[in-house]
C-alpha cells in the first residue's frame, strides 16, 4: 500500500476520484525575500502569550437565572487572540480599584438619623435614611429594600431616576435590623427583634413623617412607594392601610408575588447555607456578590454590599473578619407573615399599581386574573436577576418615571364643568 504524503491510507486506497493531487511544493525563498518579510514583520504588534485569555473589565451578564444561583458565572467575551476559542473558567480577576467601596454621597445629598422615642412599651428606634429632597411640587420616591439588604441597594436607581426627572426626590430607608437603623437596647441579641409586617409598615410611615419634620416640609410631596421583595410587601401594606391618604399617588412592587414567595421560603435555609459566613475584606464581599451573580451590576455592588457587612471586633476565624450585618436565619418566624395575603392587598389598595418582575412564571393565579382585567401595570425584565433595580437601574428608572407620569394628578387637565360652559354661553349672547 502506498502512503501518499498528507493523505490517509483509506483515501489512498479509495481510488483517484476520491481526492485531488496535492500541489507541488513552493520553491524556497531567496535571501532578498527573507529580508523583505523580516522588515515587514518587525513593525507588527507582538501576539499575546498562548496561555492568556483576555476579557473586558466589565462583566456582561446576559442570562435570566435566579439571583440565588450561586453556581452561575458571568459571560466573558474574549478579545481577539490566539486563544479565541478557549473556554473561560469563571469571571476575569478584578483589579483592586474595581472593587473599592463607593461612598453614599455619590448618589444622595443627605443621610438622616431620625429618632423615634419609645412608646407603648416599644423600644426606642433611630431610623436611618438616605435622601435627596425633591424640588417644589416634585414627587418623592420612597424605597424599601428586601430582607438582608439596605437602603443603598437603591442608590444607582435613585441617580437614574433624577437624570430622567430632575425635580424628583428619593428617600431610601434602612429597615430595623438592617443598615444603620438602630433599635435600643443596642445589643440586638438581648432582645427579640420584631420584624413583623405590621411593625415594618409602622416604621416606614414613621420614617416618612419624621423626615417631613426634619426637612421642614409643610406637607408631604406626592409619594411613589417602591419596594423590593420584602419591601414590596411593606409598601403594599402601607398603601392598603391608607394612613398617608391621597399623598400616595402609586406604589411599585419589584420581583415578589405571594405564591412564588411562599414556595421559595421552603428552600430559603438551603440557600442561606450556601452563602459564605464572612469575608476577609469588604472587597472580597463585593467580589462574591458579583461572581455569584447575586448582584449583576458591579457599580451597584460597590455601593450596596459594604452596608450589608460589619467588622467583627473579635473574629474566631481570620478569614471572616467581615460578617453579615443581618442574620437572616433569625428572621424565619416572620417569613410567611410577610407574604400571606399579598396579592389580594396589592390589587385592593388605593393608588396606581406597578408589578415589575424578572419572569412571568412568578405570577400567581390571582395576579394573572388581575392583570388580564387591567387592574395594574406589569413590566417584565427577563434578563435581570432577583435584584432587578440593581441589575438594570436604567431600565427600572425609565419604567418608574413613566409609571409616575401616568399617575401624576397635577398633569391631568379636567374638562370644564357644564354650569361654567352654560354661564359663558349666556355672557357671550348678551355681549358681555
Amino acid at each position: 500500500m502506498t502512503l501518499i504524503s498528507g493523505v490517509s491510507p483509506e483515501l489512498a486506497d479509495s481510488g483517484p476520484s476520491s481526492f485531488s493531487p496535492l500541489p507541488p511544493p513552493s520553491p524556497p525563498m531567496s535571501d532578498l525575500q527573507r529580508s523583505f518579510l523580516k522588515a515587514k514583520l518587525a513593525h507588527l504588534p507582538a501576539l499575546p502569550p498562548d496561555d492568556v485569555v483576555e476579557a473586558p473589565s466589565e462583566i456582561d451578564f446576559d442570562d435570566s437565572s435566579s439571583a440565588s444561583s450561586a453556581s452561575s458565572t458571568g459571560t466573558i467575551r474574549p478579545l481577539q487572540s490566539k486563544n479565541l476559542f478557549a473556554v473561560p473558567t469563571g469571571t476575569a480577576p478584578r483589579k483592586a480599584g474595581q472593587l473599592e467601596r463607593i461612598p453614599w454621597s455619590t448618589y444622595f445629598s443627605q443621610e438622616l438619623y431620625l429618632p423615634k422615642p419609645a412608646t407603648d412599651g416599644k423600644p426606642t428606634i433611630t431610623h436611618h435614611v438616605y435622601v435627596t429632597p425633591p424640588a417644589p411640587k416634585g414627587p418623592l420616591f420612597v424605597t424599601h429594600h428586601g430582607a438582608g439588604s439596605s437602603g443603598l441597594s437603591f442608590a444607582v436607581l435613585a441617580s437614574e431616576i433624577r437624570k430622567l426627572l430632575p425635580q424628583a426626590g428619593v428617600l431610601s430607608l434602612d429597615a430595623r435590623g438592617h443598615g444603620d437603623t438602630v433599635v435600643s437596647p443596642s445589643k440586638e441579641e438581648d432582645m427579640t427583634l420584631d420584624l413583623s409586617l405590621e411593625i415594618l409598615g409602622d416604621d416606614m410611615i414613621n420614617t416618612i413623617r419624621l423626615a417631613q419634620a426634619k426637612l421642614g416640609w409643610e406637607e408631604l410631596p406626592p409619594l411613589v412607594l417602591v419596594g423590593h421583595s420584602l419591601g414590596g410587601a411593606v409598601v403594599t401594606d402601607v398603601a392598603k392601610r391608607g394612613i398617608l391618604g391621597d399623598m400616595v399617588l402609586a406604589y411599585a412592587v419589584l420581583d415578589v408575588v405571594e405564591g412564588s414567595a411562599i414556595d421559595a421560603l421552603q428552600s430559603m435555609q438551603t440557600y442561606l447555607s450556601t452563602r459564605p459566613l464572612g469575608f476577609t475584606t469588604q472587597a472580597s464581599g463585593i467580589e462574591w456578590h458579583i461572581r455569584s451573580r447575586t448582584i449583576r451590576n458591579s457599580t451597584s455592588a460597590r455601593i450596596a454590599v459594604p452596608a450589608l457587612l460589619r467588622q467583627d471586633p473579635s473574629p474566631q476565624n481570620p478569614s471572616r473578619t467581615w460578617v453579615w450585618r443581618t442574620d437572616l436565619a433569625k428572621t424565619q418566624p416572620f417569613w410567611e407573615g410577610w407574604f400571606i395575603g399579598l396579592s389580594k392587598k396589592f390589587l385592593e389598595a388605593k393608588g396606581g399599581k406597578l408589578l415589575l418582575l424578572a419572569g412571568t412564571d412568578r405570577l400567581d393565579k390571582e395576579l394573572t386574573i388581575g392583570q388580564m382585567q387591567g387592574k395594574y401595570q406589569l413590566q417584565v425584565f427577563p434578563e435581570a436577576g432577583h435584584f432587578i433595580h440593581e441589575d438594570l437601574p436604567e431600565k427600572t428608572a425609565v419604567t418608574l418615571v413613566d409609571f409616575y407620569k401616568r399617575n401624576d394628578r397635577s398633569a391631568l387637565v379636567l374638562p370644564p364643568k357644564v354650569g361654567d360652559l352654560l354661564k359663558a354661553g349666556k355672557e357671550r349672547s348678551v355681549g358681555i
Side-chain angles (χ1 to χ4, degrees):
M1 181 185 299
T2 303
L3 182 61
I4 303 177
S5 177
V7 182
S8 67
E10 290 80 2
L11 288 177
D13 287 343
S14 61
S17 61
S18 300
F19 64 93
S20 300
L22 294 177
S26 302
M29 289 189 293
S30 65
D31 293 338
L32 178 63
Q33 289 174 319
R34 289 194 184 95
S35 61
F36 174 78
L37 287 176
K38 286 181 180 179
K40 287 290 185 182
L41 292 173
H43 297 288
L44 295 178
L47 290 172
D50 288 349
D51 58 348
V52 173
V53 179
E54 301 178 19
S57 60
E58 291 298 324
I59 301 172
D60 178 25
F61 300 122
D62 62 359
D63 71 40
S64 57
S65 62
S66 167
S68 63
S69 177
S71 63
S72 57
T73 57
T75 300
I76 298 180
R77 294 193 175 96
L79 302 179
Q80 289 185 355
S81 73
K82 291 196 293 183
N83 283 338
L84 179 63
F85 299 103
V87 178
T89 58
T91 57
R94 309 185 75 83
K95 298 178 181 178
Q98 295 175 320
L99 298 172
E100 287 181 355
R101 177 177 187 168
I102 300 177
W104 64 265
S105 55
T106 306
Y107 298 99
F108 296 98
S109 65
Q110 304 176 52
E111 67 171 346
L112 303 177
Y113 290 89
L114 307 169
K116 178 74 168 62
T119 56
D120 301 327
K122 297 179 181 178
T124 300
I125 180 171
T126 301
H127 298 285
H128 178 253
V129 303
Y130 304 94
V131 61
T132 299
K137 298 185 179 181
L140 180 67
F141 289 81
V142 184
T143 64
H144 196 299
H145 58 80
S149 192
S150 83
L152 288 179
S153 69
F154 290 94
V156 182
L157 173 64
S159 175
E160 295 299 327
I161 288 175
R162 287 181 52 79
K163 287 179 185 177
L164 299 171
L165 197 65
Q167 70 270 30
V170 181
L171 186 151
S172 191
L173 61 87
D174 288 339
R176 61 173 62 204
H178 297 71
D180 288 336
T181 290
V182 178
V183 179
S184 298
S186 59
K187 292 184 178 180
E188 295 175 357
E189 59 268 24
D190 295 340
M191 60 180 291
T192 302
L193 191 63
D194 191 347
L195 291 176
S196 63
L197 185 61
E198 181 181 3
I199 291 295
L200 294 175
D202 289 343
D203 285 348
M204 186 173 195
I205 295 169
N206 291 333
T207 299
I208 294 171
R209 290 299 188 188
L210 290 169
Q212 177 186 4
K214 182 75 172 181
L215 296 171
W217 298 333
E218 292 185 5
E219 61 180 23
L220 285 174
L223 302 177
V224 179
L225 308 182
V226 183
H228 170 250
S229 197
L230 163 62
V234 176
V235 302
T236 299
D237 184 68
V238 170
K240 183 70 169 70
R241 292 195 218 176
I243 295 176
L244 295 174
D246 292 337
M247 297 313 298
V248 177
L249 292 182
Y251 54 99
V253 173
L254 309 185
D255 207 46
V256 62
V257 296
E258 179 180 348
S260 59
I262 293 177
D263 290 343
L265 293 179
Q266 300 175 8
S267 57
M268 187 64 176
Q269 288 290 1
T270 302
Y271 164 67
L272 293 178
S273 67
T274 65
R275 298 199 309 173
L277 297 177
F279 305 95
T280 54
T281 62
Q282 284 185 338
S284 61
I286 294 170
E287 185 173 23
W288 178 84
H289 280 79
I290 297 172
R291 284 185 178 274
S292 67
R293 308 200 64 195
T294 302
I295 300 175
R296 306 181 183 188
N297 182 317
S298 61
T299 301
S300 188
R302 290 169 60 196
I303 176 69
V305 172
L308 312 184
L309 307 173
R310 62 176 177 83
Q311 195 163 19
D312 190 344
S314 54
Q316 297 180 353
N317 188 328
S319 66
R320 295 200 292 265
T321 56
W322 289 87
V323 297
W324 300 105
R325 186 179 296 271
T326 304
D327 187 347
L328 285 177
K330 291 184 178 180
T331 67
Q332 184 173 5
F334 306 102
W335 289 351
E336 288 194 359
W338 291 341
F339 304 114
I340 290 179
L342 173 58
S343 295
K344 188 173 187 294
K345 285 191 291 186
F346 175 77
L347 294 172
E348 291 179 351
K350 185 178 179 181
K353 305 167 181 58
L354 168 66
L355 183 59
L356 182 55
L357 301 177
T360 54
D361 58 314
R362 289 165 168 81
L363 281 179
D364 56 26
K365 179 180 179 181
E366 197 163 5
L367 288 177
T368 300
I369 294 173
Q371 201 276 326
M372 294 173 67
Q373 294 173 341
K375 291 185 176 181
Y376 64 92
Q377 179 182 337
L378 174 65
Q379 180 71 53
V380 180
F381 292 153
E383 66 271 34
H386 179 52
F387 289 83
I388 296 180
H389 57 298
E390 296 197 59
D391 295 347
L392 301 173
E394 299 90 349
K395 286 188 175 183
T396 305
V398 169
T399 301
L400 288 174
V401 169
D402 177 68
F403 175 60
Y404 157 71
K405 291 179 178 179
R406 289 170 180 258
N407 292 278
D408 180 15
R409 301 189 190 106
S410 66
L412 294 176
V413 180
L414 299 176
K417 296 180 181 179
V418 176
D420 294 338
L421 290 174
L422 293 175
K423 183 179 178 180
K426 289 180 180 180
E427 290 175 348
R428 284 196 298 270
S429 65
V430 296
I432 297 178

